[in-house]
Amino acid sequence: MGLSIGIVGLPNVGKSTLFNALTRNKVDAQNYPFCTIDPNVGIVAVPDKRLLELSEVIKTDKIVPAMVEFIDIAGIVKGAAEGEGLGNKFLANIRECDAIAEVVRFFGDSNVLHVSGEINPTSDIETIQTELILADLETITKRITKLEKEAKTDAKAKLALPVLQSLATKLDQNIPARNVKLSVKELEYTRDLNLLTAKPHMYVINGDEKHLASSVIPATSLAESRRDAGIQEPEDKLDSWLTTRNDKDTVIISAKIEAELNELDEADKAEYLNELGQAEAGLDTLIHKGFDLLGLQTYFTAGEKEIKAWTIHQGWSAPQAAGVIHGDFEKGFIKAEVVNYKDLISAKGWNEARSAGKVRLEGKDYIVRDGDVMIFKFSN
């Protein structure tokens, strides 16, 4: 299974700069390969040092990382839900994504004009949320109209109708669908609507170099940042929004610096990141947080032919994990040999890990953990 993230935001907030930085990584084909399959769609490898560590003890000619798809969606403007700008086209692109990464401009550059004439992060965020909610309201209203007719004779429609009516009320109150608590049964009535505001949503604060050392822009830097960026809004409003963000749904980057990092070799890149106070590149952080946001994790298969990372949902069983490789693996699942990647590396190979008692045999009820290395046994 893959992961697709739609990059959204107002025009001139740095979406395309971010997208280009993501998809122009020039890296070793056995390390973190990528390919661009469309001018606005890029497939990027998920950075994972564990693959290289495994390759040092499991000799192979092929390393296959997990992949994430980024879609650079045209800038959203006020009135998009009614067809302004690219209107329905951008909405359709977002519906195809698993998650949304909203780029919020916080950098100052007099050469890059803001669509509304001034840099105003909270207003930009409100504009995007409003347009997505309006699009969802249109979708859900159409379904309600249909259900009202069907509910007269259809029991399922009669049950679904009040759920959607309640959800429409919440949307009308400017509450995104992802913030509305629904039971498992109620979710069944909304799933096929593919609501935009139901998708996991993260914020990418596109700032300047001074913002990069913190996971959240500190309030003490806001006044200076406002002056540099020309932000025209009450301090308490912006401060309030930033302090409500958490490490899970917000990442602070500088798309401009990320593009510069791509031009450096690994040694110079590491030195530059250290100077910036960054443990890893902002793009890597963005990808990892996308995984966390969607509740995804990675397990590995490692043999002489290849070492490969596989993406699964947290909480999946061993048969479900096997099914990602091939449906027959899940259907005919018997058992799995499992070892933590650190133990496999420490033992310096499968045979040594087995001799050390680090390899376990697990059955159908085993819940796969991030970093497991697995060999599946199945019947044809």
Side-chain angles (χ1 to χ4, degrees), residues 29-45:
Q30 290 188 4
N31 190 349
Y32 305 135
F34 75 93
C35 62
T36 301
I37 59 176
D38 187 86
N40 295 317
V41 179
I43 304 295
V44 182

Side-chain angles (χ1 to χ4, degrees), residues 165 245 286 292:
Q165 288 173 330
R245 298 299 91 208
L286 172 59
D292 291 341

Side-chain angles (χ1 to χ4, degrees), residues 54-201:
L54 283 168
S55 71
E56 292 178 2
V57 297
I58 307 295
K59 303 303 180 183
T60 180
D61 294 327
K62 188 176 182 181
I63 298 177
V64 184
M67 296 291 180
V68 57
E69 178 182 76
F70 283 95
I71 303 173
D72 183 19
I73 295 167
I76 299 173
V77 296
K78 189 173 183 179
E82 282 77 46
E84 292 294 325
L86 290 181
N88 293 331
K89 183 176 181 180
F90 93 77
L91 294 175
N93 289 335
I94 298 175
R95 290 190 197 283
E96 296 172 0
C97 301
D98 297 313
I100 295 173
E102 179 180 342
V103 181
V104 182
R105 179 173 173 175
F106 204 80
F107 65 88
D109 189 338
S110 59
N111 294 317
V112 182
L113 299 177
H114 192 281
V115 67
S116 63
E118 65 178 22
I119 299 174
N120 191 322
T122 50
S123 176
D124 295 353
I125 291 162
E126 290 166 2
T127 295
I128 298 297
Q129 177 164 297
T130 297
E131 294 307 320
L132 297 183
I133 283 177
L134 287 173
D136 280 351
L137 271 171
E138 181 181 359
T139 298
I140 207 167
T141 298
K142 289 180 179 177
R143 177 61 60 86
I144 288 173
T145 299
K146 180 182 178 183
L147 289 175
E148 285 174 337
K149 298 176 181 177
E150 296 176 346
K152 297 175 183 178
T153 57
D154 188 299
K156 184 176 180 180
K158 189 174 182 178
L159 292 172
L161 182 57
V163 174
L164 296 192
Q165 288 173 330
S166 176
L167 183 54
T169 298
K170 296 293 186 182
L171 288 168
D172 200 42
Q173 295 171 350
N174 205 37
I175 300 173
R178 64 181 174 276
N179 292 341
V180 179
K181 292 185 179 180
L182 297 174
S183 68
V184 174
K185 187 65 176 179
E186 289 171 334
L187 283 171
E188 291 180 10
Y189 302 135
T190 68
R191 190 168 288 111
D192 69 325
L193 293 173
N194 206 10
L195 298 176
L196 302 174
T197 63
K199 295 181 181 296
H201 196 114

Side-chain angles (χ1 to χ4, degrees), residues 194-372:
N194 206 10
L195 298 176
L196 302 174
T197 63
K199 295 181 181 296
H201 196 114
M202 65 189 302
Y203 296 92
V204 182
I205 306 299
N206 189 11
D208 295 309
E209 181 176 333
K210 58 178 168 288
H211 302 134
L212 298 181
S214 300
S215 59
V216 176
I217 298 175
T220 54
S221 76
L222 292 178
E224 179 184 355
S225 299
R226 264 186 288 269
R227 288 195 299 272
D228 293 346
I231 295 173
Q232 305 294 322
E233 64 177 328
E235 290 190 11
D236 58 348
K237 188 175 183 182
L238 184 56
D239 290 359
S240 176
W241 183 85
L242 287 169
T243 55
T244 63
R245 298 299 91 208
N246 59 60
D247 190 53
K248 182 177 181 179
D249 70 1
T250 305
V251 58
I252 297 175
I253 68 167
S254 167
K256 182 179 179 181
I257 288 178
E258 294 300 322
E260 293 172 356
L261 284 168
N262 279 344
E263 301 302 319
L264 304 177
D265 60 31
E266 288 303 311
D268 289 340
K269 183 177 180 179
E271 183 179 351
Y272 192 9
L273 286 171
N274 184 57
E275 291 175 359
L276 294 171
Q278 297 281 82
E280 64 178 358
L283 300 181
D284 294 353
T285 301
L286 172 59
I287 294 172
H288 292 148
K289 285 193 176 182
F291 258 56
D292 291 341
L293 194 65
L294 284 166
L296 301 176
Q297 64 181 19
T298 302
Y299 79 87
F300 306 101
T301 51
E304 293 180 0
K305 291 185 177 180
E306 68 176 21
I307 296 173
K308 186 168 183 175
W310 299 90
T311 303
I312 61 171
H313 284 285
Q314 295 170 11
W316 272 20
S317 66
Q320 288 175 302
V324 174
I325 300 176
H326 196 287
D328 289 344
F329 281 29
E330 181 174 6
K331 293 176 183 177
F333 179 90
I334 299 174
K335 59 185 176 181
E337 287 189 278
V338 184
V339 60
N340 179 271
Y341 84 98
K342 289 183 179 179
D343 290 334
L344 186 59
I345 292 170
S346 178
K348 300 188 183 303
W350 277 104
N351 291 334
E352 295 82 356
R354 291 187 183 99
S355 298
K358 297 297 184 180
V359 179
R360 312 181 308 276
L361 283 178
E362 300 288 359
K364 294 182 178 180
D365 295 332
Y366 177 68
I367 302 302
V368 179
R369 301 169 185 170
D370 186 67
D372 278 347

